[in-house]
Every structure is written in structure tokens, then in C-alpha cells.
Amino acid sequence: MVIGHRGASGLRPEHTESAYRLACRQGVDAVEPDAVVTRDGVLVVRHENEISGTTDVADHPEFADRRTTKTVDGVELTGWFTEDFDWAELAILRSRERLPEVRPDNREFDGREPILRLSDVLAIIDEESAALDRGIGVVLEVKHAQYFSALGHRFEELLPPVLTESGWADRRERLVIECFELGILERLRAEGLAADFVFLLEHAGAGADEVAREAAGGPAAASYAWYRSDAGLDALTGRVAGISVDTCDLVRVGPDGAAEASDLVQRAHARGLTVFTWTLRPENRFLATPFRTGEASDPGAARAWGDWRAAFGAIVRTGVDGIFVDHPELGAEAARLS
């Protein structure tokens, strides 16, 4: 399964209409929008709720006084946050390339397109599915559920109406909902949403909901690493359809400097869990050392493409069920070559 990560974000600014439409036309099986919340409870698609790196908000003097510092899931951030804006205000802003130093060509598209609501993305996928005569899926990531819940914005209340109104409430075969927090997945599942639920696992750390529960005097937070253990996978069986992990947890660099595949996929499959992985990108900056090319001293080495075919192939050969890609055409090629 090839999943367009925030659309075709290697070729257009992420989470824009053009990025999603291009991903569909380059053959993805699904696209992945990230959902965050506005002050008036609208679900919009942004990589994070802090939007200074993905929009032109800093160029709007009328919003200058909303620049602030907050702690989100234990990380202190300074900038502008979606929850401090109504949807009508965010609609004024225009999108920008999030990684301009790595993908300078994408800056050509800066300022051309607005922020999208989740409902807008679902409508785009419906249009592209009809035009291409195939059912394109959506892998929806719920962002910072614990954080937003503390502000009174509960995804278990906000998401079902959007899916119902968009006609996506009964498309289990095409809808996956994922999050780095297990609690919101269980609450959404209890709401009866027709979707597969996938638990996202960072390489290190623990879910923000479990950390908050521990801080309030509850049980110790289980680490993401523990959830990748046999005991952790056992604990997830029957609660989620699968897991989604960093590529480094599938293919790592061994003591001799060569790439080594882990057995995580096999152990998860033995328990009936599917496995996705994120994010396959061709640039040296994002590739494991064995797959990088060129001289590290070259100023352009980080954004130059390395041996992505070998890197992607090593991931696909682990037996993983789905790959998140920024360049859909490369993901499609890797899937064919496997």
C-alpha cells in the first residue's frame, strides 16, 4: 500500500490541494492528512498546530500579537497556533514549503494555495476517485489528541460529524485512523466509527496521553519501545488493526555499517497486526548512512538524492504492509520492484 504523505509533499507544499491531487494521479492507494483544530472547532489539515513554518502567518500584521510560546506534548514551541484562530481567519493564510532548504523547487508554489479543512480533503479524494475510476483511501492522523482535549477540543466529538457529512462514515475499506496516542483510537473505536485504527509509534518516548495520566498519579506510561516488544504487541492485539513505525525500526544500521532488517513485521503479523512505516524519502538527509551518496562536505549533499531504490527496497522487503512516501511515483516504483 503506497500512501501519499500529506499528498505529494516532495513535489508541492504539503497539505495543499495540488499536493493531494498530484498524489492521486501518481497512483497512490491512499493519502495521509494530519488533523488539528481551530478555536471554533474546525478540523484543518496541517503537519502541526504551530503553523509558522507552513503558512505565511508571519506576514500578516493583524496576527502579530498572536505569536506566543506553548508547550505541546512536552515540547516548547514559539509561533502561531491553530487553536488561537477561527477558521475564517485561517482561510486568509496561504501555504508554504515546510522544508525549503531540502526542497527549494517547491518554493515556486509558496503563497498560491490556502489551508484546507479535513472536509475539503475528503471532497478532493472523492473527486479524484471518480475521475480515476478507483477508490482512493484516506489514512487520517489525529494530532495531539491529549493536548487538544485539555483545551476542550475532543476529537471523539469533532471527527464523527465531519466523516458523516462528507460521506466517509461507512467506508471501512478505505479509511484508516492513526495517532501516536492509543487512548483516542480506543475512544473513536468505541464511538463505532467504521475505520481501521493504527497506533503510531515513535522510535523513542511514550504517548502524550499516557505521560499525562502518569503525571496525574496514574500508572506508568508504557514506552513506544515496549509496544514494539512481544509483550507490547500482545497488548495491542484486538485493540488496534496495526502499528505504524519509523523506518529505522524496520531497517537499522548494524555494527559493520551495513543495513540490517529487524523482525518487527514478522512478529506483528504473527499477532494479526498490520505494519505501516514512515517516511520513505529519497534525499540523503533522510536516508540511513549505507544509502547516502556523494561527499558529506558538499553543501548540497543533504538535499541530493541518495540510493533511494536500495533504501526503499530494503524497507519493502521486510514485508511491511504500507509505506508513507513524499514522492508517490517513487513509492509506486518501489512497490512494483518488490
Side-chain angles (χ1 to χ4, degrees):
M1 184 175 180
V2 177
I3 306 161
H5 187 233
R6 308 169 197 158
S9 54
L11 303 164
R12 298 290 188 276
E14 62 188 32
H15 289 314
T16 57
E17 179 175 352
S18 63
Y20 284 113
R21 292 194 186 277
L22 182 57
C24 294
R25 293 167 192 180
Q26 288 193 337
V28 296
D29 299 298
V31 297
E32 185 244 11
D34 300 317
V36 294
V37 189
T38 68
R39 180 166 55 195
D40 50 345
V42 176
L43 298 183
V44 296
V45 291
R46 287 287 94 187
H47 170 54
E48 295 291 343
N49 56 322
E50 199 289 292
I51 57 173
S52 61
T54 60
T55 73
D56 61 355
V57 64
D59 297 337
H60 287 260
E62 69 271 31
F63 299 140
D65 61 350
R66 300 202 200 170
R67 187 174 187 268
T68 188
T69 298
K70 300 187 180 189
T71 299
V72 182
D73 295 351
V75 179
E76 186 176 280
L77 301 169
T78 298
W80 288 264
F81 297 81
T82 58
E83 64 269 21
D84 296 331
F85 293 81
D86 294 335
W87 162 242
E89 295 172 321
L90 287 182
I92 298 170
L93 306 182
R94 292 298 177 265
S95 299
R96 286 182 172 174
E97 171 56 40
R98 187 174 64 89
L99 301 170
E101 72 284 0
V102 179
R103 293 165 179 167
D105 291 349
N106 284 5
R107 298 185 68 180
E108 171 189 349
F109 304 99
D110 284 356
R112 295 187 183 185
E113 300 185 67
I115 290 177
L116 299 174
R117 295 165 295 185
L118 176 60
S119 58
D120 297 324
V121 175
L122 297 175
I124 289 167
I125 301 310
D126 280 342
E127 291 172 6
E128 292 297 323
S129 294
L132 298 168
D133 194 26
R134 61 187 182 89
I136 300 167
V138 171
V139 180
L140 168 62
E141 181 179 348
V142 171
K143 303 287 286 198
H144 309 303
Q146 174 68 30
Y147 172 85
F148 280 118
S149 181
L151 298 176
H153 299 303
R154 297 175 178 82
F155 277 96
E156 58 267 40
E157 298 171 358
L158 298 173
L159 182 56
V162 174
L163 296 175
T164 297
E165 292 163 13
S166 299
W168 277 80
D170 58 353
R171 299 184 187 178
R172 178 180 295 276
E173 74 284 358
R174 291 171 57 192
L175 179 63
V176 174
I177 300 175
E178 61 178 8
C179 188
F180 284 105
E181 301 170 34
L182 186 57
I184 182 60
L185 298 179
E186 296 189 310
R187 294 194 298 276
L188 289 170
R189 183 182 178 189
E191 288 291 320
L193 287 187
D196 282 338
F197 296 94
V198 169
F199 187 25
L200 281 158
L201 302 174
E202 291 275 16
H203 178 65
D209 55 341
E210 296 198 34
V211 171
R213 192 161 56 243
E214 179 181 353
S223 70
Y224 290 128
W226 179 79
Y227 279 115
R228 292 192 299 272
S229 72
D230 285 344
L233 294 173
D234 286 342
L236 292 175
T237 302
R239 299 168 71 186
V240 293
I243 58 174
S244 187
V245 300
D246 194 323
T247 56
C248 71
D249 291 313
L250 296 185
V251 175
R252 53 186 173 240
V253 180
D256 61 354
E260 297 179 346
S262 76
D263 65 352
L264 178 56
V265 173
Q266 288 71 33
R267 291 189 293 110
H269 282 176
R271 293 163 171 83
L273 297 169
T274 59
V275 183
F276 293 165
T277 190
W278 41 272
T279 303
L280 278 65
R281 296 171 167 133
E283 295 96 348
N284 280 320
R285 172 176 170 177
F286 304 113
L287 295 175
T289 304
F291 305 112
R292 295 174 188 167
T293 59
E295 298 294 329
S297 59
D298 179 355
R303 66 173 178 264
W305 286 19
D307 189 357
W308 64 268
R309 287 184 177 85
F312 288 20
I315 292 292
V316 171
R317 285 193 298 275
T318 66
V320 70
D321 300 288
I323 54 174
F324 290 86
V325 295
D326 284 2
H327 296 75
E329 77 282 12
L330 304 187
E333 181 176 341
R336 287 195 301 270
L337 292 175
S338 67

